[in-house]
Amino acid sequence: MQKSPAKTAPALLFLLCMASSCAASSPESDAPADYSHALPLQISGKQGVLALRLPQSVYLHARTAGLDDLRVFDAHDTAQPHALHRPPEQALAQRTWLAARIFPVRSKTHTAAGGSPAIDIDIRTRPDGSVLSVQAHAGQANGHGSAVLDSLILDFGPIDQGKGSETAPAYIEALRFGAPKDRTNYNAQIWLETSNDLKQWSAIGAAELGWLSNDHAQRLTHDRLELSPQTFRYARLTWRRGEPVLFADIQAEVVTRQRSEPFRETLWVKPEPGQQAGDLLYKASIAMPVEQISVRLNEANIVYPMAFGAYVERPSRQVGKATEWVFQPSARATFYQITQDGETRRSGPLTIRPGHQQEWVIRPLNTAATAQPELGLTWQPATLIFLAGGTPPYRLYFGRPDARPTSQPLSQVAPGFTVHELDRLESAQVGELQSGHAGPVAASAAALASRSARNRTYVLWGVLLLGVLVLGGMTWRLVGQMNRSASKAGEQ
């Protein structure tokens, strides 16, 4: 009894799907032998989460752009959870104290409420802006025979003298007052104004100051006035409440915040001839996220304009060639090395958009250039954070181009850890790079993976071809049945 084509088709489709699934789902190996290089990790064994700033050897021998081929295996070849972390930029705060030169203003008149003086003050300065003298003009008598302390003029000097730089400006964030001499207890409210030219004054506001001592020579102090970060040279103090006194000293807290430069690695590469005349080729590693380039010139006096980029493959416009390699520039710059007046001037590094390339290319913009400079490739290494949940010792393996990514979010490796705690993690120490026995095995694994991929392709094509043949046979049988049915109908 023959099966009808309608009943045979579902079975055939089922067999095709099963064959395709089996061909596409062959298991992948992920063991230490599949990686070409390894670094032994030395740890104390007391911490559960550890960190390792990836050394240059990892970037030289890793085979993926995103470091997907990093694995931490324990003594039983069990992979440990890990995350790749790049610490955020931090601003380093440097705090110094700048003492003010204090000039008392004595007068027979009162200062108006709110800090606006009702007296006329004559302030004399030197050519450099420093205050020379302060004197109050005679005004309406206040009922006392002699002049009394009315206010204070403060000169902090130029704030940029040793306190800041062009890249890291300095700001005053607080004033600190020294207790008046021969006063164990004191309380007052002062009014502060600031200026940079002794003409225009900006009111900052009022603040409470106080010192309180007991019989045991213990003292409570409130001697600090917090400010919003700002820059000024002069200040004027008046009293809204309490007796005006001459403080022992007044100092400004000067804060310089400078962005901390992250740690960077640099690899110097010698040139090779490029694919096009005049080009210089530099072999690197696809794993390095290059963000700066430098050029080391050997000539004494040279100016070297150049274009920097890489070769890319595109369809060829020439008959008989499928593809061709063309130079694609990503940056242009002029590097130099010039000796002038006994000093050598050199160009600094060039910051570029971070990129991964197996090979970098320099094309001199001066066609007559013969220099063969070394190329410096600079990148910021990532920090590997891993969970020591297995059995030590641990090893870091890398060097496999077809590895699948296994890096996890930081919250799944070090949950609940703050940025400060991550910075203080124990750092694993690396041993000597190992590559002897692992290289051939890794190469064989890669070859097996490539062969397996080709075999899967062949199986899929074979299954499809078999399906076409079976469907053709079914069609031929169906046509034959229809012809025989038509012949029988004609005979009748």
Side-chain angles (χ1 to χ4, degrees), residues 139-481:
Q140 182 180 359
N142 59 6
H144 299 280
S146 60
V148 295
L149 181 64
D150 179 83
S151 58
L152 299 177
I153 299 296
L154 311 178
D155 182 5
F156 292 98
I159 192 175
D160 58 348
Q161 289 186 354
K163 306 301 180 184
S165 64
E166 294 181 358
T167 58
Y171 298 96
I172 296 177
E173 295 192 359
L175 297 182
R176 188 172 63 188
F177 298 82
K181 296 180 180 179
D182 303 327
R183 300 291 294 268
T184 57
N185 298 314
Y186 179 77
N187 184 265
Q189 185 183 70
I190 61 171
W191 182 267
L192 176 67
E193 298 171 280
T194 62
S195 175
N196 284 309
D197 56 7
L198 294 172
K199 298 177 182 179
Q200 302 292 330
W201 294 87
S202 299
I204 300 301
E208 294 284 343
L209 297 178
W211 289 266
L212 179 63
S213 301
N214 60 16
D215 296 337
H216 300 285
Q218 296 174 332
R219 171 177 287 191
L220 295 176
T221 61
H222 187 199
D223 60 354
R224 185 180 175 90
L225 171 58
E226 300 286 346
L227 306 173
S228 59
Q230 55 190 288
T231 301
F232 58 86
R233 175 166 184 170
Y234 311 102
R236 180 166 61 195
L237 291 180
T238 54
W239 277 258
R240 305 187 72 175
R241 179 175 54 78
E243 177 187 358
V245 296
L246 186 61
F247 296 101
D249 62 83
I250 301 176
Q251 297 186 14
E253 183 181 15
V254 181
V255 180
T256 303
R257 286 184 169 83
Q258 188 170 14
R259 188 182 66 180
S260 62
E261 286 293 326
F263 177 81
R264 290 186 172 93
E265 289 274 9
T266 299
L267 174 68
W268 290 96
V269 187
K270 295 183 179 297
E272 298 179 6
Q275 297 189 19
Q276 301 181 17
D279 290 351
L280 299 178
L281 181 69
Y282 300 85
K283 294 184 178 180
S285 171
I286 194 67
M288 297 188 306
V290 178
E291 57 186 32
Q292 287 184 349
I293 62 169
S294 304
V295 169
R296 182 183 290 169
L297 299 163
N298 298 321
E299 291 76 5
N301 295 295
I302 182 173
V303 177
Y304 191 77
M306 62 86 171
F308 176 79
Y311 289 129
V312 295
E313 189 176 12
R314 71 178 186 186
S316 178
R317 300 177 181 178
Q318 299 181 8
V319 179
K321 293 182 61 177
T323 61
E324 62 181 354
W325 292 91
V326 297
F327 174 68
Q328 184 176 22
S330 59
R332 296 176 184 267
T334 299
F335 290 89
Y336 59 87
Q337 181 170 267
I338 301 174
T339 301
Q340 189 75 15
D341 297 330
E343 296 183 357
T344 301
R345 305 180 182 182
R346 295 183 178 88
S347 51
L350 173 66
T351 300
I352 63 173
R353 179 180 299 177
H356 299 264
Q357 290 291 341
Q358 195 74 36
E359 297 175 342
W360 296 96
V361 179
I362 283 181
R363 172 167 291 180
L365 298 182
N366 182 1
T367 55
T370 58
Q372 300 283 311
E374 293 183 40
L375 178 65
L377 302 174
T378 302
W379 71 95
Q380 179 184 355
T383 297
L384 177 77
I385 296 179
F386 67 95
L387 184 66
T391 304
Y394 301 94
R395 281 182 172 83
L396 175 64
Y397 287 86
F398 47 94
R400 180 178 177 179
D402 62 338
R404 57 184 179 84
T406 60
S407 177
Q408 300 182 12
L410 193 58
S411 60
Q412 297 182 17
V413 179
F417 281 62
T418 65
V419 175
H420 183 61
E421 289 175 324
L422 292 175
D423 291 338
R424 296 190 304 168
L425 288 177
E426 177 186 335
S427 180
Q429 304 300 314
V430 298
E432 186 176 354
L433 180 67
Q434 299 176 353
S435 61
H437 64 280
V441 177
S444 299
L448 289 174
S450 177
R451 190 180 309 157
S452 176
R454 290 196 301 270
N455 291 338
R456 289 196 299 268
T457 302
Y458 296 153
V459 170
L460 289 175
W461 278 108
V463 170
L464 291 175
L465 181 59
L466 177 61
V468 171
L469 293 176
V470 172
L471 290 176
M474 292 173 59
T475 303
W476 179 263
R477 180 179 298 178
L478 182 60
V479 170
Q481 291 179 356

Side-chain angles (χ1 to χ4, degrees), residues 1-185:
M1 179 179 180
Q2 295 182 350
K3 294 183 179 180
S4 65
K7 295 181 179 180
T8 307
L12 177 61
L13 292 177
F14 176 76
L15 292 175
L16 290 175
C17 291
M18 290 296 294
S20 301
S21 176
C22 293
S25 61
S26 58
E28 282 190 6
S29 172
D30 193 16
D34 298 327
Y35 298 86
S36 62
H37 292 78
L39 282 174
L41 302 180
Q42 302 172 4
I43 62 175
S44 66
K46 300 178 181 179
Q47 306 296 334
V49 179
L50 300 104
L52 172 66
R53 186 167 63 193
L54 296 178
Q56 189 176 107
S57 57
V58 172
Y59 285 92
L60 290 179
H61 300 289
R63 292 294 177 262
T64 56
L67 296 177
D68 295 336
D69 55 332
L70 292 188
R71 299 290 189 274
V72 178
F73 288 107
D74 69 353
H76 300 300
D77 297 342
T78 301
Q80 303 300 302
H82 75 274
L84 291 175
H85 174 60
R86 283 181 173 82
E89 294 184 356
Q90 299 180 355
L92 301 178
Q94 180 182 0
R95 299 179 183 274
T96 56
W97 291 94
L98 186 63
R101 298 174 62 211
I102 304 175
F103 296 87
V105 179
R106 304 182 186 276
S107 175
K108 295 182 180 180
T109 59
H110 292 289
T111 298
S116 300
I119 59 177
D120 186 11
I121 302 176
D122 182 18
I123 303 177
R124 299 176 59 190
T125 61
R126 296 184 179 90
D128 62 355
S130 60
V131 176
L132 180 61
S133 64
V134 177
Q135 185 176 3
H137 290 177
Q140 182 180 359
N142 59 6
H144 299 280
S146 60
V148 295
L149 181 64
D150 179 83
S151 58
L152 299 177
I153 299 296
L154 311 178
D155 182 5
F156 292 98
I159 192 175
D160 58 348
Q161 289 186 354
K163 306 301 180 184
S165 64
E166 294 181 358
T167 58
Y171 298 96
I172 296 177
E173 295 192 359
L175 297 182
R176 188 172 63 188
F177 298 82
K181 296 180 180 179
D182 303 327
R183 300 291 294 268
T184 57
N185 298 314

